[in-house]
Amino acid sequence: MKYEVYEQEQITKDYSVFDFYSEGVNGSILKRVTFKESEYYNVYNLAFGCVDEKDDIDDLSISDNGDLQKILATVADIVKTYTNHYPERWVYFEGSTKSRTRIYRMAIGLNFEELSEKFLIFGFSNGKPIPFSKNIDTPAFLIKRKDNFAL
Amino acid sequence: MKEKTVYKHVNPWTGQVVTLTVSEELNKLIGKNLAPTKLKRANEFLRSCTQVIPDLSPNQQ
């Protein structure tokens, strides 16, 4: 994704939590990306959003900070970092709402050529993973680093 | 003073240098489920699937 990213991130030593600040029209807003093991072996759920007062992720908040592309590019860069550290893991994610899932689908679709050089990208249809394509109407995504790429 | 662990990497798409700093504060969150609703929803969806991991064998690609 040829968009500028946020260059300063705080992380946990196991790479399960990444924090960065969104800087925009509404000020400086803490964003968090986490990776948590699902019930399925080697499948990790990506959660993303603002940080609430309990230190949990609020994935329904709308910060409207005018930096959506930079945020999405930063999250893509975080996925790259994570899968570089854990190349055997699959990263599962979905939007917190249908419209957010649609935004993710559009972002992947617009940058598919570059992303697919480094990642295997799948959507889901009829209960099965299928290779991502721009017109796919998928409720969720599954991504893994390509084996032959050290990112 | 405790030394900070810092990693740097170059974003492959923009060439920007990204600095990752390991945070002692964040380390306290290791193992916690920080987005329980999201994980629950993910597990429910994955459970509803007949297949979760794609077949990457050569004849399937």
Side-chain angles (χ1 to χ4, degrees), chain B residues 8-26:
Chain B
K8 287 182 187 287
H9 75 262
V10 178
N11 180 285
W13 298 294
T14 64
Q16 286 176 273
V17 177
V18 178
T19 303
L20 308 167
T21 305
V22 175
S23 158
E24 287 304 317
E25 272 307 302
L26 279 191

Side-chain angles (χ1 to χ4, degrees), chain A residues 1 72 102-112 115:
Chain A
M1 300 178 83
L72 291 177
R102 195 166 57 243
I103 288 171
Y104 297 160
R105 191 175 70 232
M106 285 169 62
I108 293 171
L110 287 170
N111 299 281
F112 185 68
L115 291 171

